[in-house]
Amino acid sequence: MGAAAVPWVLLMANPSVQKAPVKKPDFAEDVAPILRGRCLQCHGPEVHKGGLRFDTAAAIKKGGKSGPLFTPGKSSDSYLLDRILGKGGLPQMPLGFAPLSAEDVATIKHWIDSGAQIPASGVGKHWSYVKPVQAPIPPVKEKSWVRNPIDAFVLAKLQSEGLKHSPPAPRATLLRRVYLDLTGLPPSVEETNRFMADSRPDAYDQVVDKLLASPAYGERQATPWLDLARYADSTGYEKDLNRTMWPYRDWVIKAFNKDMPFDEFTIEQIAGDLLPEPTKDELIATGFHRNTMYNTEGGVDQGEQRWLTLVDRVGTTGSVWLGSTLACAQCHNHKYDPFTQEDFYRFLAFFDTSNEPTLDLSDPKVRALGGELAKLEKSLPKLKGDPEAYKTVAESAKLLRSQIDQMTSINTLVLEEKKGVYPPKTPIRIRGAYLSPGKTVVADVPQVLPRLPKDAPQNRLGLAKWLVSKENPLTARVRINQIWEQIFGVGLIKTVEDLGTQGEKPVEKPLLDWLACEFMKRGWSTKAMLRLIVTSSTYRQSSVETAAMKERDPENRLLERGPRFRMSAEMIRDSALAASGLLSSHVGGPSVYPDQPDGIWNTPYNDESWETSKGPDRLRRGLYTFWKRTSPYPSFLSFDATSRESCTVRRIRTNTPLQALTLLNDTVYLTSAKALATKMLSAGGKTPTEKIEFGFRSIMVRRPSEPEVNRLKKLLDLEQGKFAAEPDQAAKLLGDKNPSPKLAEPAAYTVVAQVMFNLDEAITKE
């Protein structure tokens, strides 16, 4: 048996694959995306091997040199399926690429058996390159469940599948969920008590509005955006020198907190320097594209290095705003999506006319003192003949220099357009090689997408306005999908980074398009869209998963229940610090150096080292942690954060033993356990039961069940007995130099707190 026949044998042997989809396939929605993504590169308008084309209805019906592809209604008599499956010893298609998935084969088979109807438009454009239209809100039977249009779309989908929604989540669970989603922090016991006692019909809505107005909201929203922006505090590569980028991070936090419309948010980051009389904030925003890595090692061709940063800017812009793999067209025309190599370099040309200066953000007093110092130092040579005057001026200069050294001098990286270069141009690089320049192209957007707005200049500002034009079919969809993934754990399109032909088909396209249009209608307000989502009945459902749900929809794509997934690395750490009462609420400022294991960051350059921050700076939120690309904060890496060497649109969640070891042994979590133990003893109540309940609620928010309390009390008694017998072990755990039987109780409560911080529920958004 030939290797090409193996997939066919497996397909026929698997009953679950043989079973045709229940719903009759629609050519435009189900079949055309497969043909566009897997067949057009060899059988399209430009290349039609074997005389076969898949780009028009007539061509598909005609077939190629081997004759018709299929007999409508009879998939068993299908040359198309024979070639897809590699039957009869024929090479399996697509030749040179991975075989079609069993699901795609089943879709084509069922489409042929259903009559193989093809609309006159043929394959047409992929859905994501067509401007979204706000679909009418679908009618549903259970109208009382519908709080806003999101619920109508979700419920209509559930009803079409013969499914039901889940009951509402318990109030404490819902409170913790919305706090984590909007601020990244759990509510305190006091905040929970107030909410549980609030019987007003709009009590939950009042909480949502309070959280959206909280400074912590901007910090929560900035965290995933910094992944998109590949934000870091170092340049990357072997030297990985430190640099000052935190003013950009602070700009992002402020932008989210004031609910800057997403179109303005986009324009300032792409082209803030090209706005009329740009402010310092608008210049700082352009740091988005200064976050690229930069290699300063000896022997590096700086021309090529700059070109690599431009390539990164194209790929990042394509991923963040267009949800596309535009970067794949650097060396040749895109193999799957309608982007040509010329499209790539026209897009790159927008960035090729940018200078890369630093922006002085120092206090004006520093600059004034610097000017005075320069004058004094300039006068010194002239005073050598007058020792007394020389000594006086030299001492004054020394004093000024000391003052300046004690004041903060800040310079950050920004973009600035070159003067007199318009329109931007750049050479195509043959096969993507910097040393092989070809013909020169002028800046423009991909041909498959709408043209630049008529009033938009042909530069980065025009590009930015085009990205957020209401004619652009991608940006609003992409951003809404990112927000949805943040809230529900998986996007309406799972491949958040790719809405192209190789991306996943939307699980509910009418809802995606409705939300995208609504986003633009509401002035691109992120807060408005988040409020809409978190006040829906869909969001408020219980996240309890039944065996039947797990079997038919393990990722909860149909939203039969509420969201439940592990929190991000930063949120896990922040939540532990918040629950223990240690978290510093200070917003913004230079990056900090919290506790981490010794030996993580050793560098031979500039005597750089990890000097642990003092005081409250050790206990600040995770997004303020100094992000060094060659040695990122280790506990964050354990929980799937990245080095930020490149744009990360979607962190993939994993489960590893290192995560449990981190929660048990990392200094931050041990310190949090000690602090929570102190709170349990001082403010948790009079009895061990009350103290345990207080600690449990500080982390999980809900009240523990009686069996949970009993198990924790048993642990408490066991540990207290051990520490009473071994006071030196209690002292070691608590960092106390004086072993004493009195330490047994706080040490035992510390162990109980450690156990609670290590519960699955403690690191999961329920």
Side-chain angles (χ1 to χ4, degrees):
M1 183 183 294
V6 172
W8 170 72
V9 172
L10 293 175
L11 179 71
M12 296 300 107
N14 188 339
S16 66
V17 173
Q18 275 186 290
K19 185 179 178 182
V22 175
K23 177 189 169 188
K24 179 180 177 181
D26 176 84
F27 181 84
E29 289 288 325
D30 303 308
V31 180
I34 301 172
L35 300 180
R36 269 195 304 269
R38 305 307 305 276
C39 306
L40 285 189
Q41 59 267 37
C42 296
H43 305 288
E46 297 178 4
V47 179
H48 23 272
K49 294 180 180 179
L52 176 61
R53 294 176 60 172
F54 282 107
D55 58 315
T56 68
I60 296 171
K61 292 175 181 177
K62 178 183 176 183
K65 292 178 181 178
S66 300
L69 293 172
F70 48 77
T71 301
K74 193 175 180 183
S75 64
S76 58
D77 182 20
S78 169
Y79 181 69
L80 174 62
L81 278 176
D82 288 349
R83 295 309 305 270
I84 287 172
L85 296 172
K87 291 174 64 176
L90 296 169
Q92 188 175 10
M93 296 294 167
L95 195 63
F97 293 89
L100 267 64
S101 68
E103 182 184 359
D104 287 347
V105 174
T107 297
I108 292 173
K109 180 180 183 295
H110 188 36
W111 169 68
I112 295 171
D113 285 334
S114 301
Q117 295 180 351
I118 309 175
S121 58
V123 172
K125 274 187 178 182
H126 183 60
W127 67 267
S128 67
Y129 304 129
V130 179
K131 181 181 174 182
V133 175
Q134 195 162 32
I137 299 168
V140 293
K141 295 176 183 177
E142 194 181 346
K143 295 180 181 178
S144 61
W145 192 73
V146 176
R147 295 177 186 271
N148 65 45
I150 291 174
D151 299 327
F153 283 101
V154 170
L155 189 56
K157 182 74 171 179
L158 288 173
Q159 290 176 349
S160 72
E161 300 282 342
L163 303 174
K164 294 183 178 180
H165 60 78
S166 292
R171 277 172 66 89
T173 300
L174 178 61
L175 185 69
R176 179 175 184 263
R177 180 188 299 172
V178 75
Y179 261 76
L180 291 173
D181 277 331
L182 296 185
T183 69
L185 303 171
S188 66
V189 173
E190 293 77 15
E191 288 169 324
T192 303
N193 288 340
R194 282 198 296 271
F195 177 68
M196 299 300 283
D198 192 342
S199 59
R200 292 176 299 172
D202 66 343
Y204 176 74
D205 290 351
Q206 294 287 335
V207 168
V208 170
D209 290 338
K210 182 190 81 169
L211 297 179
L212 290 172
S214 164
Y217 163 81
E219 295 173 313
R220 166 69 181 104
Q221 297 306 314
T223 302
W225 187 263
L226 296 181
D227 271 1
L228 296 174
R230 66 270 193 247
Y231 168 85
D233 296 293
S234 65
T235 60
Y237 293 105
E238 190 252 353
K239 283 189 176 180
D240 200 21
L241 299 176
N242 296 350
R243 64 185 180 190
T244 304
M245 287 305 302
W246 61 262
Y248 167 77
R249 177 247 290 146
D250 285 4
W251 177 87
V252 173
I253 295 169
K254 287 190 291 185
F256 277 116
N257 270 333
K258 69 180 182 181
D259 198 24
M260 178 183 286
F262 188 72
D263 54 350
E264 292 179 29
F265 185 71
T266 296
I267 289 170
E268 291 193 16
Q269 290 181 88
I270 298 291
D273 59 305
L274 289 169
L275 293 170
E277 299 182 8
T279 64
K280 278 194 174 181
D281 275 351
E282 289 166 344
L283 294 175
I284 290 169
T286 66
F288 177 88
H289 272 318
R290 292 302 307 278
N291 280 317
T292 49
M293 295 201 299
Y294 204 90
N295 195 343
T296 57
E297 296 167 35
V300 170
D301 182 333
Q302 291 303 311
E304 182 174 15
Q305 175 55 40
R306 171 176 160 75
W307 179 72
L308 289 173
T309 67
L310 301 181
V311 169
D312 172 79
R313 287 166 190 167
V314 174
T316 297
T317 305
S319 295
V320 173
W321 280 278
L322 302 177
S324 79
T325 52
L326 185 58
C328 292
Q330 176 186 340
C331 307
H332 48 69
N333 292 347
H334 202 293
K335 292 296 183 184
Y336 302 108
D337 289 310
F339 301 126
T340 66
Q341 190 183 23
E342 284 201 18
D343 284 335
F344 178 89
Y345 285 96
R346 290 191 192 103
F347 207 92
L348 185 144
F350 284 114
F351 300 102
D352 203 6
T353 52
S354 303
N355 288 323
E356 300 182 344
T358 58
L359 177 65
D360 185 2
L361 297 175
S362 304
D363 188 311
K365 294 178 183 177
V366 176
R367 293 196 291 273
L369 291 174
E372 290 181 36
L373 176 61
K375 289 179 183 177
L376 290 175
E377 290 179 336
K378 190 176 181 180
S379 67
L380 283 173
K382 301 175 184 177
L383 299 173
K384 284 187 177 179
D386 187 345
E388 289 245 355
Y390 184 91
K391 182 180 178 182
T392 301
V393 172
E395 287 178 352
S396 298
K398 183 179 179 181
L399 180 61
L400 266 179
R401 194 179 296 106
S402 176
Q403 287 180 281
I404 292 170
D405 288 344
Q406 291 173 18
M407 300 175 76
T408 304
S409 179
I410 306 168
N411 291 285
T412 193
L413 310 181
V414 297
L415 287 180
E416 177 185 75
E417 194 72 354
K418 293 177 181 176
K419 306 295 184 186
V421 183
Y422 188 87
K425 300 176 183 178
T426 202
I428 290 177
R429 305 290 174 168
I430 300 169
R431 296 183 180 177
Y434 171 71
L435 295 177
S436 299
K439 74 173 185 179
T440 297
V441 292
V442 179
D444 204 351
V445 297
Q447 298 301 298
V448 71
L449 296 171
R451 302 295 81 213
L452 284 169
K454 290 182 180 179
D455 61 342
Q458 199 170 355
N459 57 17
R460 273 186 294 113
L461 182 57
L463 172 65
K465 290 183 175 181
W466 171 81
L467 285 171
V468 291
S469 163
K470 292 185 178 180
E471 299 303 310
N472 190 318
L474 289 167
T475 301
R477 281 176 171 143
V478 169
R479 184 57 186 154
I480 281 296
N481 199 43
Q482 291 167 355
I483 292 171
W484 194 269
E485 193 250 6
Q486 178 182 314
I487 299 296
F488 289 100
V490 60
L492 288 164
I493 303 167
K494 185 175 182 179
T495 52
V496 185
E497 69 282 358
D498 185 5
L499 272 62
T501 61
Q502 297 305 290
E504 186 198 57
K505 180 183 173 182
V507 71
E508 179 61 6
K509 182 174 177 293
L511 174 56
L512 175 66
D513 285 356
W514 188 91
L515 287 167
C517 293
E518 191 69 12
F519 188 29
M520 292 185 281
K521 276 185 180 179
R522 297 194 182 202
W524 299 88
S525 168
T526 300
K527 284 189 178 182
M529 299 312 294
L530 281 168
R531 193 182 196 285
L532 190 70
I533 291 170
V534 302
T535 56
S536 68
S537 293
T538 301
Y539 176 82
R540 299 193 206 191
Q541 295 178 96
S542 166
S543 63
V544 174
E545 181 183 55
T546 65
M549 289 178 187
K550 188 173 183 179
E551 175 67 25
R552 64 178 167 248
D553 187 14
E555 292 186 301
N556 194 32
R557 304 304 303 281
L558 298 175
L559 298 168
E560 197 177 356
R561 58 177 175 83
R564 184 188 189 281
F565 54 93
R566 202 202 64 220
M567 298 187 291
S568 68
E570 294 91 337
M571 199 185 294
I572 291 171
R573 180 180 178 276
D574 293 349
S575 294
L577 290 172
S580 65
L582 292 176
L583 185 69
S584 167
S585 60
H586 179 62
V587 177
S591 296
V592 296
Y593 303 82
D595 293 301
Q596 71 170 10
D598 293 334
I600 297 295
W601 182 6
N602 290 321
T603 173
Y605 300 109
N606 299 343
D607 295 321
E608 293 173 1
S609 62
W610 186 276
E611 296 291 338
T612 303
S613 298
K614 307 297 183 185
D617 279 352
R618 292 172 50 245
L619 305 168
R620 296 189 64 196
R621 293 193 68 161
L623 84 163
Y624 298 117
T625 298
F626 193 96
W627 209 287
K628 195 168 185 68
R629 286 179 160 124
T630 53
S631 53
Y633 195 57
S635 74
F636 288 172
L637 287 186
S638 295
F639 285 100
D640 307 316
T642 73
S643 65
R644 293 203 179 136
E645 292 174 293
S646 58
C647 169
T648 302
V649 181
R650 177 168 54 123
R651 290 187 188 179
I652 306 300
R653 284 183 289 274
T654 65
N655 291 309
T656 73
L658 279 177
Q659 293 163 355
L661 292 170
T662 297
L663 292 174
L664 277 171
N665 301 302
D666 188 277
T667 303
V668 169
Y669 299 102
L670 180 57
T671 302
S672 296
K674 292 177 189 176
L676 181 57
T678 301
K679 281 183 68 179
M680 291 161 70
L681 287 166
S682 63
K686 296 180 180 179
T687 67
T689 296
E690 291 174 337
K691 296 179 193 301
I692 286 172
E693 285 185 348
F694 178 85
F696 192 96
R697 293 183 67 204
S698 296
I699 302 171
M700 264 67 72
V701 178
R702 68 173 176 87
R703 290 186 180 278
S705 65
E706 186 176 346
E708 287 170 329
V709 172
N710 289 338
R711 291 187 69 182
L712 290 169
K713 280 179 65 179
K714 187 176 179 181
L715 173 66
L716 177 68
D717 293 340
L718 179 66
E719 293 298 320
Q720 193 160 347
K722 285 182 179 179
F723 286 124
E726 300 180 66
D728 56 323
Q729 292 300 313
K732 183 178 179 182
L733 176 64
L734 298 175
D736 195 310
K737 295 180 180 179
N738 301 306
S740 166
K742 293 180 180 180
L743 299 179
E745 186 180 37
Y749 273 99
T750 297
V751 172
V752 170
Q754 272 189 293
V755 168
M756 291 191 293
F757 277 128
N758 277 265
L759 293 175
D760 174 70
E761 188 176 345
I763 62 171
T764 301
K765 187 187 79 173
E766 296 280 354

